[in-house]
Amino acid sequence: MAMVLGIYDRLISSISSFFKDWKGCTMYLLQFGIPALVGIIICASPISAIIDRFPVVSMFFFIGLVFGSLPMLYKSARITKLDWKYVLSFVIGVAVVIAMAFLPPMGGDDVSLEMSISTFLLQILTGIVVAVGFILPGISTSYLLLLLGTYDYVMLAIAELNVLALVPFALGFVLGVVLLTRILEICMQRFPQLTYMMIMGFLVGSLYTVYPGNPSGWEIPLSVLMFAIGFVIIYFVSKKEAENEKA
């Protein structure tokens, strides 16, 4: 959504260059973060209920959202001539997300919050890796936790409100966000076409993980309708945003 609405670059810049203009960056991040938090609180429960009751139809709506965003994202890349490098960047983005779905999750059944040096270092590393999923669209932070075998650890620490157990994870996460946003900002400045094409690849690759299977019966017309609604909403929202930026 940040990509579609044309604020992704500003968000990345506000985080990576925070100390260059901490007042301005703080105001911008608060303007974005507070409404986002309110939206999550208001929408999380009803959206979860709809997905639980109509999983196939709901997923086709989200698929429509992704497809509707692609034309504007491609335009944002400002590609005047299609080159094999851009195609390769897109394919790599798709392949990375799909490949993650085939990786077996690590970890065992026994989960302990007992802190040791190895656990401390592992949680810092986990936080850094999870920051990748937080910053890059199309990559699931939950699945990254599963792959690293620390999903149960983090969920247990949150459930028990064990702040000390979450400290190394939080440190790694903050470090990862700062480092990754800086790297991403540099890539967007120096290699905008390649970066945008890879991000588009991440988004398209994410469709593999959310595709619910072929609809049947009454789900078929509703799935087609919801796909079309999702596509139209995002397409026109992104188009309107582009017109506002141009004006």
Side-chain angles (χ1 to χ4, degrees):
M1 288 300 298
M3 291 291 297
V4 172
L5 295 175
I7 63 173
Y8 189 75
D9 293 10
R10 179 72 188 276
L11 279 173
I12 294 299
S13 178
S14 295
I15 298 172
S16 65
S17 306
F18 183 81
F19 293 105
K20 292 182 180 179
D21 179 22
W22 68 270
K23 289 184 178 179
C25 291
T26 299
M27 287 302 299
Y28 182 78
L29 291 173
L30 287 176
Q31 290 172 9
F32 172 81
I34 293 175
L37 182 60
V38 172
I40 290 171
I41 294 172
I42 294 174
C43 299
S45 181
I47 288 177
S48 296
I50 292 172
I51 291 175
D52 288 340
R53 188 165 183 180
F54 308 104
V56 175
V57 175
S58 301
M59 288 302 103
F60 271 92
F61 175 74
F62 289 119
I63 292 172
L65 293 177
V66 173
F67 272 101
S69 68
L70 293 180
M72 196 53 60
L73 291 179
Y74 183 79
K75 189 175 181 180
S76 299
R78 296 182 178 89
I79 295 176
T80 56
K81 182 180 179 181
L82 197 61
D83 189 274
W84 68 269
K85 292 182 293 186
Y86 305 146
V87 176
L88 179 61
S89 182
F90 175 80
V91 171
I92 290 174
V94 174
V96 166
V97 178
I98 293 179
M100 288 174 57
F102 290 94
L103 295 175
M106 297 187 294
D109 298 328
D110 297 328
V111 180
S112 174
L113 298 182
E114 186 176 335
M115 187 60 63
S116 63
I117 294 178
S118 60
T119 302
F120 186 87
L121 295 176
L122 176 61
Q123 290 306 312
I124 289 180
L125 177 61
T126 299
I128 294 174
V129 174
V130 168
V132 175
F134 179 75
I135 295 297
L136 297 179
I139 299 179
S140 169
T141 54
S142 298
Y143 196 69
L144 285 175
L145 285 171
L146 284 172
L147 291 178
L148 294 171
T150 56
Y151 182 87
D152 292 336
Y153 177 93
V154 173
M155 291 300 104
L156 180 62
I158 294 174
E160 296 185 359
L161 298 178
N162 192 328
V163 178
L164 291 177
L166 291 172
V167 166
F169 173 80
L171 289 174
F173 180 79
V174 172
L175 178 62
V177 167
V178 172
L179 291 176
L180 184 61
T181 50
R182 183 57 184 157
I183 293 171
L184 193 55
E185 184 182 31
I186 293 173
C187 289
M188 284 181 163
Q189 291 173 350
R190 297 185 180 180
F191 315 103
Q193 291 85 3
L194 291 173
T195 304
Y196 266 92
M197 289 301 289
M198 184 168 291
I199 289 175
M200 283 179 61
F202 292 150
L203 287 173
V204 173
S206 70
L207 294 176
Y208 176 83
T209 60
V210 301
Y211 183 69
N214 297 328
S216 59
W218 61 269
E219 292 179 335
I220 296 176
L222 272 182
S223 296
V224 173
L225 176 63
M226 295 308 295
F227 174 89
I229 291 174
F231 183 95
V232 169
I233 288 175
I234 291 300
Y235 179 79
F236 282 103
V237 166
S238 59
K239 188 175 181 180
K240 182 66 176 177
E241 183 62 29
E243 291 174 357
N244 291 339
E245 284 187 1
K246 189 175 181 180

